[in-house]
PDB file of all heavy atoms in Angstrom:
ATOM      1  N   ASP A 108     -40.221 -46.665 107.584  1.00  0.00           N
ATOM      2  CA  ASP A 108     -40.543 -48.028 107.723  1.00  0.00           C
ATOM      3  C   ASP A 108     -41.966 -48.273 107.546  1.00  0.00           C
ATOM      4  O   ASP A 108     -42.671 -49.089 108.185  1.00  0.00           O
ATOM      5  CB  ASP A 108     -40.205 -48.345 109.220  1.00  0.00           C
ATOM      6  CG  ASP A 108     -40.107 -49.910 109.425  1.00  0.00           C
ATOM      7  OD1 ASP A 108     -39.853 -50.656 108.292  1.00  0.00           O
ATOM      8  OD2 ASP A 108     -40.283 -50.345 110.488  1.00  0.00           O
ATOM      9  N   LEU A 109     -42.504 -47.711 106.392  1.00  0.00           N
ATOM     10  CA  LEU A 109     -43.866 -47.866 105.905  1.00  0.00           C
ATOM     11  C   LEU A 109     -44.016 -48.685 104.663  1.00  0.00           C
ATOM     12  O   LEU A 109     -45.142 -48.757 104.045  1.00  0.00           O
ATOM     13  CB  LEU A 109     -44.606 -46.518 105.857  1.00  0.00           C
ATOM     14  CG  LEU A 109     -44.682 -45.736 107.130  1.00  0.00           C
ATOM     15  CD1 LEU A 109     -45.127 -44.279 106.838  1.00  0.00           C
ATOM     16  CD2 LEU A 109     -45.623 -46.457 108.161  1.00  0.00           C
ATOM     17  N   SER A 110     -43.014 -49.249 104.167  1.00  0.00           N
ATOM     18  CA  SER A 110     -43.061 -49.923 102.886  1.00  0.00           C
ATOM     19  C   SER A 110     -44.017 -50.949 102.736  1.00  0.00           C
ATOM     20  O   SER A 110     -44.659 -51.128 101.661  1.00  0.00           O
ATOM     21  CB  SER A 110     -41.554 -50.551 102.495  1.00  0.00           C
ATOM     22  OG  SER A 110     -40.548 -49.567 102.496  1.00  0.00           O
ATOM     23  N   ASN A 111     -44.348 -51.680 103.844  1.00  0.00           N
ATOM     24  CA  ASN A 111     -45.359 -52.635 103.769  1.00  0.00           C
ATOM     25  C   ASN A 111     -46.794 -52.164 103.976  1.00  0.00           C
ATOM     26  O   ASN A 111     -47.798 -52.837 103.931  1.00  0.00           O
ATOM     27  CB  ASN A 111     -45.094 -53.719 104.784  1.00  0.00           C
ATOM     28  CG  ASN A 111     -43.841 -54.444 104.523  1.00  0.00           C
ATOM     29  OD1 ASN A 111     -43.513 -54.743 103.278  1.00  0.00           O
ATOM     30  ND2 ASN A 111     -43.146 -54.955 105.534  1.00  0.00           N
ATOM     31  N   ASP A 112     -46.905 -50.808 104.397  1.00  0.00           N
ATOM     32  CA  ASP A 112     -48.271 -50.185 104.749  1.00  0.00           C
ATOM     33  C   ASP A 112     -48.602 -49.176 103.759  1.00  0.00           C
ATOM     34  O   ASP A 112     -49.824 -48.727 103.791  1.00  0.00           O
ATOM     35  CB  ASP A 112     -48.066 -49.564 106.126  1.00  0.00           C
ATOM     36  CG  ASP A 112     -47.610 -50.562 107.178  1.00  0.00           C
ATOM     37  OD1 ASP A 112     -48.212 -51.603 107.392  1.00  0.00           O
ATOM     38  OD2 ASP A 112     -46.507 -50.399 107.880  1.00  0.00           O
ATOM     39  N   VAL A 113     -47.739 -48.714 102.814  1.00  0.00           N
ATOM     40  CA  VAL A 113     -48.090 -47.753 101.826  1.00  0.00           C
ATOM     41  C   VAL A 113     -47.914 -48.402 100.539  1.00  0.00           C
ATOM     42  O   VAL A 113     -46.788 -48.812 100.119  1.00  0.00           O
ATOM     43  CB  VAL A 113     -47.241 -46.458 101.875  1.00  0.00           C
ATOM     44  CG1 VAL A 113     -47.694 -45.552 100.782  1.00  0.00           C
ATOM     45  CG2 VAL A 113     -47.332 -45.871 103.331  1.00  0.00           C
ATOM     46  N   GLU A 114     -48.946 -48.524  99.725  1.00  0.00           N
ATOM     47  CA  GLU A 114     -48.915 -49.253  98.504  1.00  0.00           C
ATOM     48  C   GLU A 114     -49.057 -48.159  97.329  1.00  0.00           C
ATOM     49  O   GLU A 114     -50.076 -47.405  97.238  1.00  0.00           O
ATOM     50  CB  GLU A 114     -50.087 -50.303  98.357  1.00  0.00           C
ATOM     51  CG  GLU A 114     -50.154 -51.118  97.189  1.00  0.00           C
ATOM     52  CD  GLU A 114     -49.276 -52.356  97.435  1.00  0.00           C
ATOM     53  OE1 GLU A 114     -48.997 -52.797  98.439  1.00  0.00           O
ATOM     54  OE2 GLU A 114     -48.840 -52.937  96.384  1.00  0.00           O
ATOM     55  N   PHE A 115     -48.034 -48.126  96.487  1.00  0.00           N
ATOM     56  CA  PHE A 115     -48.121 -47.321  95.288  1.00  0.00           C
ATOM     57  C   PHE A 115     -48.529 -48.137  94.205  1.00  0.00           C
ATOM     58  O   PHE A 115     -47.772 -48.949  93.799  1.00  0.00           O
ATOM     59  CB  PHE A 115     -46.787 -46.605  95.037  1.00  0.00           C
ATOM     60  CG  PHE A 115     -46.302 -45.616  95.982  1.00  0.00           C
ATOM     61  CD1 PHE A 115     -45.500 -45.987  97.098  1.00  0.00           C
ATOM     62  CD2 PHE A 115     -46.586 -44.303  95.880  1.00  0.00           C
ATOM     63  CE1 PHE A 115     -45.048 -45.065  98.081  1.00  0.00           C
ATOM     64  CE2 PHE A 115     -46.080 -43.358  96.774  1.00  0.00           C
ATOM     65  CZ  PHE A 115     -45.439 -43.677  97.855  1.00  0.00           C
ATOM     66  N   THR A 116     -49.702 -48.008  93.671  1.00  0.00           N
ATOM     67  CA  THR A 116     -50.252 -48.913  92.648  1.00  0.00           C
ATOM     68  C   THR A 116     -49.854 -48.479  91.223  1.00  0.00           C
ATOM     69  O   THR A 116     -49.939 -49.309  90.244  1.00  0.00           O
ATOM     70  CB  THR A 116     -51.702 -48.916  92.744  1.00  0.00           C
ATOM     71  OG1 THR A 116     -52.351 -47.707  92.295  1.00  0.00           O
ATOM     72  CG2 THR A 116     -52.254 -49.286  94.051  1.00  0.00           C
ATOM     73  N   GLY A 117     -49.472 -47.222  90.989  1.00  0.00           N
ATOM     74  CA  GLY A 117     -49.304 -46.711  89.728  1.00  0.00           C
ATOM     75  C   GLY A 117     -50.770 -46.442  89.039  1.00  0.00           C
ATOM     76  O   GLY A 117     -51.789 -46.387  89.740  1.00  0.00           O
ATOM     77  N   ARG A 118     -50.707 -46.368  87.789  1.00  0.00           N
ATOM     78  CA  ARG A 118     -52.037 -45.986  86.983  1.00  0.00           C
ATOM     79  C   ARG A 118     -52.932 -47.307  87.043  1.00  0.00           C
ATOM     80  O   ARG A 118     -52.501 -48.310  86.819  1.00  0.00           O
ATOM     81  CB  ARG A 118     -51.731 -45.677  85.613  1.00  0.00           C
ATOM     82  CG  ARG A 118     -52.826 -44.901  84.824  1.00  0.00           C
ATOM     83  CD  ARG A 118     -52.505 -44.692  83.409  1.00  0.00           C
ATOM     84  NE  ARG A 118     -51.156 -43.919  83.336  1.00  0.00           N
ATOM     85  CZ  ARG A 118     -51.171 -42.606  83.332  1.00  0.00           C
ATOM     86  NH1 ARG A 118     -52.316 -41.872  83.472  1.00  0.00           N
ATOM     87  NH2 ARG A 118     -50.056 -41.973  83.239  1.00  0.00           N
ATOM     88  N   ILE A 119     -54.156 -47.025  87.495  1.00  0.00           N
ATOM     89  CA  ILE A 119     -55.081 -48.188  87.747  1.00  0.00           C
ATOM     90  C   ILE A 119     -56.451 -47.733  87.226  1.00  0.00           C
ATOM     91  O   ILE A 119     -56.789 -46.639  87.003  1.00  0.00           O
ATOM     92  CB  ILE A 119     -55.138 -48.590  89.115  1.00  0.00           C
ATOM     93  CG1 ILE A 119     -55.371 -47.382  90.108  1.00  0.00           C
ATOM     94  CG2 ILE A 119     -53.991 -49.434  89.544  1.00  0.00           C
ATOM     95  CD1 ILE A 119     -56.816 -47.138  90.481  1.00  0.00           C
ATOM     96  N   ASN A 120     -57.391 -48.808  87.024  1.00  0.00           N
ATOM     97  CA  ASN A 120     -58.759 -48.472  86.929  1.00  0.00           C
ATOM     98  C   ASN A 120     -59.371 -48.265  88.303  1.00  0.00           C
ATOM     99  O   ASN A 120     -59.407 -49.308  89.057  1.00  0.00           O
ATOM    100  CB  ASN A 120     -59.423 -49.671  86.094  1.00  0.00           C
ATOM    101  CG  ASN A 120     -60.869 -49.366  85.877  1.00  0.00           C
ATOM    102  OD1 ASN A 120     -61.569 -48.471  86.479  1.00  0.00           O
ATOM    103  ND2 ASN A 120     -61.558 -50.166  84.934  1.00  0.00           N
ATOM    104  N   ILE A 121     -59.925 -47.107  88.590  1.00  0.00           N
ATOM    105  CA  ILE A 121     -60.338 -46.798  89.952  1.00  0.00           C
ATOM    106  C   ILE A 121     -61.488 -47.722  90.342  1.00  0.00           C
ATOM    107  O   ILE A 121     -61.573 -48.038  91.548  1.00  0.00           O
ATOM    108  CB  ILE A 121     -60.659 -45.266  90.119  1.00  0.00           C
ATOM    109  CG1 ILE A 121     -61.016 -44.928  91.502  1.00  0.00           C
ATOM    110  CG2 ILE A 121     -61.888 -45.103  89.234  1.00  0.00           C
ATOM    111  CD1 ILE A 121     -59.727 -45.252  92.554  1.00  0.00           C
ATOM    112  N   LYS A 122     -62.231 -48.232  89.452  1.00  0.00           N
ATOM    113  CA  LYS A 122     -63.326 -49.034  89.817  1.00  0.00           C
ATOM    114  C   LYS A 122     -62.923 -50.355  90.431  1.00  0.00           C
ATOM    115  O   LYS A 122     -63.671 -50.964  91.193  1.00  0.00           O
ATOM    116  CB  LYS A 122     -64.202 -49.445  88.540  1.00  0.00           C
ATOM    117  CG  LYS A 122     -65.106 -48.342  88.159  1.00  0.00           C
ATOM    118  CD  LYS A 122     -65.833 -48.648  86.870  1.00  0.00           C
ATOM    119  CE  LYS A 122     -66.806 -49.817  87.172  1.00  0.00           C
ATOM    120  NZ  LYS A 122     -67.613 -50.240  85.940  1.00  0.00           N
ATOM    121  N   ASP A 123     -61.589 -50.778  90.070  1.00  0.00           N
ATOM    122  CA  ASP A 123     -61.108 -52.011  90.652  1.00  0.00           C
ATOM    123  C   ASP A 123     -60.634 -51.900  92.160  1.00  0.00           C
ATOM    124  O   ASP A 123     -60.462 -52.955  92.756  1.00  0.00           O
ATOM    125  CB  ASP A 123     -59.938 -52.477  89.817  1.00  0.00           C
ATOM    126  CG  ASP A 123     -60.273 -52.847  88.349  1.00  0.00           C
ATOM    127  OD1 ASP A 123     -61.477 -53.222  88.203  1.00  0.00           O
ATOM    128  OD2 ASP A 123     -59.521 -52.792  87.412  1.00  0.00           O
ATOM    129  N   TYR A 124     -60.578 -50.727  92.646  1.00  0.00           N
ATOM    130  CA  TYR A 124     -60.005 -50.440  93.882  1.00  0.00           C
ATOM    131  C   TYR A 124     -60.912 -49.677  94.950  1.00  0.00           C
ATOM    132  O   TYR A 124     -60.852 -50.054  96.094  1.00  0.00           O
ATOM    133  CB  TYR A 124     -58.673 -49.728  93.697  1.00  0.00           C
ATOM    134  CG  TYR A 124     -57.480 -50.440  93.279  1.00  0.00           C
ATOM    135  CD1 TYR A 124     -57.379 -50.724  91.947  1.00  0.00           C
ATOM    136  CD2 TYR A 124     -56.563 -50.978  94.156  1.00  0.00           C
ATOM    137  CE1 TYR A 124     -56.299 -51.353  91.379  1.00  0.00           C
ATOM    138  CE2 TYR A 124     -55.440 -51.750  93.637  1.00  0.00           C
ATOM    139  CZ  TYR A 124     -55.336 -51.958  92.323  1.00  0.00           C
ATOM    140  OH  TYR A 124     -54.316 -52.554  91.836  1.00  0.00           O
ATOM    141  N   LEU A 125     -61.629 -48.862  94.380  1.00  0.00           N
ATOM    142  CA  LEU A 125     -62.388 -47.894  95.268  1.00  0.00           C
ATOM    143  C   LEU A 125     -63.333 -48.531  96.233  1.00  0.00           C
ATOM    144  O   LEU A 125     -63.366 -48.154  97.352  1.00  0.00           O
ATOM    145  CB  LEU A 125     -63.177 -46.898  94.387  1.00  0.00           C
ATOM    146  CG  LEU A 125     -63.710 -45.631  95.172  1.00  0.00           C
ATOM    147  CD1 LEU A 125     -62.580 -44.905  95.974  1.00  0.00           C
ATOM    148  CD2 LEU A 125     -64.297 -44.628  94.128  1.00  0.00           C
TER     149      LEU A 125
END
Side-chain angles (χ1 to χ4, degrees):
D108 197 24
L109 296 171
S110 296
N111 294 326
D112 304 302
V113 178
E114 188 83 23
F115 291 91
T116 67
R118 197 182 304 273
I119 48 96
N120 181 345
I121 188 58
K122 286 181 62 179
D123 296 336
Y124 286 81
L125 194 52

